[in-house]
Amino acid sequence: MPRSPLPTAPLTGRPVRAAVVGAGAIGRGSHLPALARLAEEGETEVVAAVDVDQDAVEALCAEAGIPHAYTDLDRMLAEQRPDLVTVCTPPTLHRAQTVAALRAGAWVWCEKPPVPSLADFDAIEAAEGTDGGPYAAIVFQHRFGSGAAHVGRLLAEGALGRPLVAHCQTTWYRDAAYYAVPWRGRWHTEGGGPAMGHGIHQTDLLLDLLGPWSEVRAMAARLVHDVETEDVSTALVRFESGALATVVNSVLSPDEVSRIRIDCERATVELTHLYGHANGDWRVTPAPDVPAGQVAAWRDFGPDVPSSHLAQLRELVASMRAGQRPRSSGTDGRTSLELITALYKSAFTDTTVRAGEIGPGDPYYTALHGGAPGWAPVTAEEVPA
């Protein structure tokens, strides 16, 4: 039986005590700056950092003024008892590190991709608290900020009419040097290719805007890179609302772009950016008969709050103080992983996959390659002499 999370001290009137796990680029470049900004506002305090590389974690602590450096996560959790643990390590480590933090009573903010399989995600959710936390949220910062919030409200209220057709595009470029990092391009360590490791941000935002999906039909290919995973995929997605969408993920595209376009009955909404968006990256094009005053209201996004780790962290800390499940956790955080898992199953089995179909007993529940011939990792025994 899983252990219940340890009780945590009330957060009223004091900063959230945070610990960063992983001294690499994402921790240094995104998590720590967001934590530092909230520390200036009295909301957070970074008390420790953890990495298996002692030199790296000590250097990080010296640079960032973090008082305690550790190479052992369990020891840090026992000695520092942080309120929040931010996980900035490769995906294969996310499940064990997240579960350890939850059982120690800490909330978790885990980088994407969340974990390499739905089975791993469900194990994390089982380790969460049942009443007021702790909970584990996934870093899906593209759905946070003023632009996504404004468009989300317009769609939820029906102001733009029914969503009808959508396009979700993450077409980036990664060379051989990118895949020279040992854990990239491998199912066990990265979880998947661009559908999982790159396009998941735009996929998550699309799902956040359009709601539940019902079925997917997909194709995937390995056209350039010598990796286990795909380097390009395409998918057709039907939503419960009836809307249809195309989803394209690639690391073969020199002209890099991230794009979402949603054609509704009364307007088209389009977001074009690369790694993050502000109000100016959104465009609203009305149907010819929409009054000018209505168009002006649609185009009024309010104060500009760019999508960012900071925007999501600010909301996460507010959820912690309120003892409420944060967005991008639990069922809400699982949705994009389920769609991507279904995308792979559809591509590798040449079938249509429906929402809720993949569960215990399905090979795709425990590995995104599903053991498919030509896609599953080749063991040493299978390599010809």
PDB file of all heavy atoms in Angstrom, residues 18 288 296 315 331:
ATOM      1  N   ALA A  18      11.179  26.184  -1.100  1.00  0.00           N
ATOM      2  CA  ALA A  18      11.299  25.410  -2.334  1.00  0.00           C
ATOM      3  C   ALA A  18      12.681  24.785  -2.456  1.00  0.00           C
ATOM      4  O   ALA A  18      13.678  25.325  -1.967  1.00  0.00           O
ATOM      5  CB  ALA A  18      11.027  26.299  -3.542  1.00  0.00           C
ATOM      6  N   PRO A 288     -17.199  38.381 -41.579  1.00  0.00           N
ATOM      7  CA  PRO A 288     -17.566  39.696 -42.145  1.00  0.00           C
ATOM      8  C   PRO A 288     -18.720  40.403 -41.456  1.00  0.00           C
ATOM      9  O   PRO A 288     -18.785  41.635 -41.477  1.00  0.00           O
ATOM     10  CB  PRO A 288     -17.934  39.332 -43.597  1.00  0.00           C
ATOM     11  CG  PRO A 288     -17.174  38.082 -43.890  1.00  0.00           C
ATOM     12  CD  PRO A 288     -17.153  37.324 -42.600  1.00  0.00           C
ATOM     13  N   ALA A 296     -13.504  44.763 -31.320  1.00  0.00           N
ATOM     14  CA  ALA A 296     -12.607  45.497 -30.422  1.00  0.00           C
ATOM     15  C   ALA A 296     -12.529  44.822 -29.061  1.00  0.00           C
ATOM     16  O   ALA A 296     -11.450  44.733 -28.455  1.00  0.00           O
ATOM     17  CB  ALA A 296     -13.084  46.943 -30.280  1.00  0.00           C
ATOM     18  N   GLU A 315       0.591  31.054 -10.091  1.00  0.00           N
ATOM     19  CA  GLU A 315      -0.711  30.428  -9.856  1.00  0.00           C
ATOM     20  C   GLU A 315      -0.572  29.177  -8.985  1.00  0.00           C
ATOM     21  O   GLU A 315      -1.431  28.898  -8.145  1.00  0.00           O
ATOM     22  CB  GLU A 315      -1.362  30.076 -11.194  1.00  0.00           C
ATOM     23  CG  GLU A 315      -2.788  29.582 -11.051  1.00  0.00           C
ATOM     24  CD  GLU A 315      -3.499  29.440 -12.369  1.00  0.00           C
ATOM     25  OE1 GLU A 315      -3.486  30.395 -13.176  1.00  0.00           O
ATOM     26  OE2 GLU A 315      -4.098  28.360 -12.601  1.00  0.00           O
ATOM     27  N   THR A 331      -6.053  14.754 -13.393  1.00  0.00           N
ATOM     28  CA  THR A 331      -6.693  14.495 -14.691  1.00  0.00           C
ATOM     29  C   THR A 331      -6.364  15.582 -15.695  1.00  0.00           C
ATOM     30  O   THR A 331      -6.136  15.308 -16.883  1.00  0.00           O
ATOM     31  CB  THR A 331      -8.221  14.385 -14.511  1.00  0.00           C
ATOM     32  OG1 THR A 331      -8.506  13.326 -13.588  1.00  0.00           O
ATOM     33  CG2 THR A 331      -8.906  14.091 -15.828  1.00  0.00           C
TER      34      THR A 331
END
